[in-house]
Amino acid sequence: MEFLKKSDIPAHLREYVIDQQYEEYTPINHAVWRYVMRQNVNFFKNVAHEAYTNGVTASGMDIESIPRVEEMHTSLKPFDWGAVAIDGYIPGVIFFDFQAHGLLPIGTDIRKLENIEYTPAPDIIHEAAGHAPILCDEKYAEYVKLFGQIGRRAIATKEEHEVFEAVRTLSNLLEKGSSTKEEIAEAERVLEEKQRAVKHLSEAEEISRLYWWTVEYGLIGDVSNPKIYGAGLLSSVGESSSCLTDEVKKIPFELEQVISTGFDITTKQPQLFVCKDFDQLIDAVKEYAKRMAFNVGGTESLEKAIRSGATATAEYSSGLQVTGTISKIIKDQNQEAIYLQTSGETTLSYDNHVLESHGKDVHADGFGSPIGLLKGMKKPLEELSDNELLQSGIAVEEQCNLEFESGLTVTGLVHEIVRKNNIIILIRLKNATVTYDHADLFKPEWGMYDMAVGENIKSVYAGAADPEAYFTIEEEEIEEKQPISLNPLEKLYKKVRNLRESKYDIMIVGETLLEVVADLNHSYPNDWLLRLEVLEILSEHDIHQQEQQKLRQDLIDLKERDASLKNLITNGLKLI
């Protein structure tokens, strides 16, 4: 079996990839997986998109035990997809970047037994059992990959980045189970504070909503009788059964309404959107992309990048790509950008590859350059021929004085003129001075001046043009893990699991299960899942009828004492 090598993953994404540490899953973890998957396969065969049932097996999953991500990767290859293990929450841009490369990022943690119906934190039930099966549908797989290619370019605001971190903190506390009320309350307070600070609705937030209401919580078909395809529904025992009832409003999918509808990941959704088919989703994400900064460019898009406070790329009309933290633009009297400035490490690229001698080490303190036409010239500077350059007084080893329509001036000795595909993308000058409105933007003592060439900014997007060169890749050393030690309850779960998978004599199986029940009654009166598993085996072999009746009554008593267990136990008994 051919597994994914870490060297096959784009370098800038490798830091998010981890080893699954499969041996650390406990018998209770596997029991949680098994319960959810048995419920899902039984329930979804009638209410999920037709690709789901066959997709569970085709995508490399087994109902009985937690899947190995490396085996899922191999199983997904025929569908032009793969899978990688990641550690919980990752930034949205990175999540989309994985998908753009046809890799499904799978959080390897699994929800605790007490959160079996729903967890706000990413886990392997959600990301493997939820996302993977429908990827076996060709059109849906096309949509998700296309979404990744578009979504990874979306620009968020700085405040939204902070909201993301606050949501991650709260979700992890809620899933941990051992968090105090004070810790959760403080995390909720911080999240509310960060949410109030958001003043601009960014394209990253809007496209995240489109993703949420489709890939995560989407319904498909007829509004009056839709099918489920969203991963959040396909991985939630509780929400999957309630989402098709009248208590959840069904709304025909419409792009503008979807992106104007917010969501709360910590609770069940009050409404869901129903698309006609996956082609409608493909059309919608293409339509939304037309308004994004990477397609629009210009001053408005540069301002989005400034508000993000994060790494972004501005691409000139010449094709030159400037990657860094865009911190400032200077505008003319028409409020159009005539100069852009980055702060900190910056790279200059062309065709998504950093230019030689223009990496972060060269532009470690930022980069600034004009935008626009030279004064009196209708033809953009990037399109000038060698003769036209000479006529304009621009020649290597000659002093030049460049005056732009904006009034900005660049003077200096031309050191090099860089062309790509007969287009001028960069002019390097010695002893250069750049001035605008009586202010110096660059001085000769600062060294060589690299002037980007371009009539306008045609594209602005999140991330780097050449992420392999821009982002520092640090390979972490993998700590050697010690074998996990099981507590007494986990040992009981393991014993039952071994009995179910064994070929022991039926009498031995029966007697051992009675011993397990005795231990449960003595030490774990509130454990419902293992009682279900014992009852399942006894029922399957049609033995110990009296003990079966007692177990059923114990389970009924448990759900009457604890309302949160009602659906879990009822649904479990239905399968027995």
Side-chain angles (χ1 to χ4, degrees):
M1 189 177 290
E2 184 181 347
F3 296 140
L4 179 69
K5 302 185 185 71
K6 204 163 186 180
S7 58
D8 295 333
I9 301 168
H12 68 288
L13 298 178
R14 288 178 204 157
E15 66 176 291
Y16 301 99
V17 177
I18 63 169
D19 289 327
Q20 189 177 6
Q21 303 294 341
Y22 194 83
E23 293 71 21
E24 293 191 7
Y25 293 121
T26 69
I28 295 179
N29 293 153
H30 286 289
V32 167
W33 170 271
R34 183 175 184 271
Y35 175 88
V36 173
M37 290 305 295
R38 289 180 76 241
Q39 291 293 323
N40 283 1
V41 170
N42 178 69
F43 177 73
F44 289 126
K45 64 185 178 185
N46 297 317
V47 300
H49 184 273
E50 59 188 16
Y52 176 80
T53 301
N54 292 333
V56 170
T57 303
S59 58
M61 284 181 288
D62 181 357
I63 292 175
E64 295 297 318
S65 56
I66 297 168
R68 294 180 183 271
V69 174
E70 56 188 12
E71 293 177 1
M72 288 187 64
H73 173 77
T74 301
S75 297
L76 286 169
K77 286 185 73 174
F79 306 101
D80 199 27
W81 272 82
V84 292
I86 61 164
D87 185 15
Y89 269 110
I90 57 176
V93 169
I94 299 299
F95 186 86
F96 290 141
D97 209 345
F98 273 111
Q99 295 189 331
H101 288 88
L103 293 170
L104 177 64
I106 296 178
T108 56
D109 288 340
I110 185 165
R111 64 195 64 179
K112 289 180 167 55
L113 178 56
E114 53 267 33
N115 295 337
I116 194 169
E117 281 197 290
Y118 174 80
T119 174
D123 80 330
I124 196 165
I125 292 178
H126 171 79
E127 293 177 351
H131 282 289
I134 310 293
L135 287 175
C136 298
D137 180 271
E138 183 179 357
K139 273 294 178 184
Y140 181 74
E142 177 187 345
Y143 170 64
V144 177
K145 189 175 290 186
L146 175 64
F147 203 111
Q149 293 164 353
I150 292 170
R152 65 178 172 173
R153 294 172 175 264
I155 300 174
T157 64
K158 181 183 178 186
E159 291 78 14
E160 285 167 348
H161 289 303
E162 293 176 352
V163 168
F164 169 81
E165 293 298 333
V167 168
R168 175 163 61 179
T169 299
L170 175 58
S171 298
N172 288 338
L173 286 173
L174 291 172
E175 171 58 24
K176 191 165 68 171
S178 60
S179 306
T180 65
K181 291 181 179 179
E182 291 75 18
E183 288 175 325
I184 293 173
E186 174 61 15
E188 289 174 337
R189 185 196 66 77
V190 171
L191 175 57
E192 290 175 4
E193 178 183 293
K194 298 300 182 184
Q195 287 173 328
R196 286 195 300 270
V198 175
K199 304 300 181 186
H200 298 275
L201 186 63
S202 74
E203 62 185 29
E205 172 61 22
E206 287 186 335
I207 204 166
S208 292
R209 292 176 177 183
L210 178 57
Y211 189 86
W212 180 265
W213 296 120
T214 59
V215 177
E216 294 291 357
Y217 279 84
L219 299 177
I220 188 168
D222 188 270
V223 174
S224 61
N225 186 30
K227 299 285 189 180
I228 297 170
Y229 73 89
L233 299 172
L234 292 174
S235 59
S236 171
V237 178
E239 198 158 7
S240 61
S241 57
S242 65
C243 75
L244 297 178
T245 66
D246 291 340
E247 66 183 76
V248 177
K249 186 178 181 181
K250 315 299 187 301
I251 305 171
F253 178 91
E254 194 275 319
L255 177 61
E256 296 305 321
Q257 187 170 4
V258 168
I259 63 174
S260 64
T261 304
F263 58 87
D264 180 356
I265 74 166
T266 64
T267 187
K268 293 182 178 181
Q269 307 309 309
Q271 77 281 306
L272 298 173
F273 294 90
V274 185
C275 68
K276 290 180 289 189
D277 51 37
F278 293 138
D279 280 316
Q280 185 182 18
L281 301 186
I282 291 171
D283 291 342
V285 73
K286 287 180 178 177
E287 183 63 29
Y288 184 80
K290 293 177 182 178
R291 69 183 76 175
M292 291 175 66
F294 81 90
N295 273 323
V296 174
T299 303
E300 178 187 357
S301 298
L302 288 170
E303 289 173 334
K304 287 183 178 181
I306 292 172
R307 286 197 295 269
S308 78
T311 301
T313 297
E315 184 169 339
Y316 280 77
S317 51
S318 64
L320 182 73
Q321 298 158 315
V322 180
T323 294
T325 302
I326 301 173
S327 55
K328 178 183 176 182
I329 55 175
I330 297 175
K331 301 178 185 178
D332 62 13
Q333 62 271 23
N334 297 319
Q335 296 303 299
E336 291 297 327
I338 60 171
Y339 192 87
L340 73 80
Q341 179 73 51
T342 68
S343 59
E345 296 176 330
T346 303
T347 59
L348 305 183
S349 304
Y350 182 83
D351 194 22
N352 301 322
H353 290 91
V354 169
L355 297 172
E356 186 176 354
S357 302
H358 291 285
K360 293 189 296 182
D361 54 337
V362 175
H363 303 288
D365 300 319
F367 176 85
S369 197
I371 307 162
L373 292 167
L374 292 178
K375 189 173 183 179
M377 294 189 67
K378 295 182 180 180
K379 193 173 184 179
L381 175 56
E382 61 258 41
E383 297 178 9
L384 297 186
S385 66
D386 288 341
N387 284 335
E388 289 169 326
L389 283 175
L390 287 173
Q391 292 170 8
S392 301
I394 305 171
V396 175
E397 298 303 329
E398 295 289 339
Q399 187 74 15
C400 74
N401 180 28
L402 305 177
E403 186 175 356
F404 288 80
E405 287 282 1
S406 62
L408 186 147
T409 61
V410 178
T411 61
L413 183 71
V414 178
H415 174 71
E416 182 183 10
I417 299 172
V418 180
R419 289 183 184 270
K420 292 288 183 181
N421 296 324
N422 295 318
I423 297 292
I424 302 169
I425 64 169
L426 193 69
I427 297 177
R428 310 193 74 199
L429 301 105
K430 298 177 182 177
N431 299 318
T433 301
V434 181
T435 58
Y436 178 72
D437 195 23
H438 307 294
D440 288 333
L441 304 179
F442 192 90
K443 299 179 180 181
E445 57 266 31
W446 295 354
M448 183 76 71
Y449 181 63
D450 296 299
M451 187 186 83
V453 176
E455 178 186 4
N456 56 62
I457 299 297
K458 68 177 184 180
S459 180
V460 183
Y461 51 89
D466 184 351
E468 311 295 270
Y470 187 84
F471 295 107
T472 301
I473 310 302
E474 295 183 3
E475 297 288 345
E476 293 186 6
E477 291 186 11
I478 300 174
E479 295 182 14
E480 187 174 339
K481 299 290 184 179
Q482 298 299 318
I484 61 169
S485 58
L486 302 180
N487 63 38
L489 180 59
E490 290 166 342
K491 289 177 180 177
L492 290 180
Y493 270 87
K494 184 176 182 180
K495 183 180 290 188
V496 172
R497 183 179 187 82
N498 289 341
L499 289 172
R500 187 172 57 245
E501 296 174 351
S502 72
K503 296 181 180 179
Y504 294 137
D505 180 88
I506 188 61
M507 296 305 295
I508 296 175
V509 170
E511 292 304 315
T512 307
L513 288 175
L514 293 183
E515 294 172 6
V516 170
V517 172
D519 285 341
L520 283 173
N521 290 337
H522 181 267
S523 303
Y524 307 101
N526 296 319
D527 188 283
W528 61 274
L529 182 53
L530 192 53
R531 283 180 169 81
L532 271 177
E533 292 201 346
V534 172
L535 178 58
E536 177 193 341
I537 299 173
L538 293 177
S539 178
E540 181 182 341
H541 292 291
D542 196 22
I543 57 176
H544 296 295
Q545 299 294 334
Q546 187 174 349
E547 189 59 46
Q548 286 188 49
Q549 292 176 7
K550 186 176 185 308
L551 277 169
R552 285 180 184 274
Q553 188 58 51
D554 288 344
L555 287 164
I556 290 170
D557 291 343
L558 271 174
K559 70 177 183 178
E560 288 179 354
R561 290 202 306 269
D562 187 345
S564 67
L565 301 180
K566 182 179 179 180
N567 289 335
L568 293 167
I569 293 174
T570 299
N571 292 336
L573 289 172
K574 282 180 181 178
L575 291 187
I576 301 174

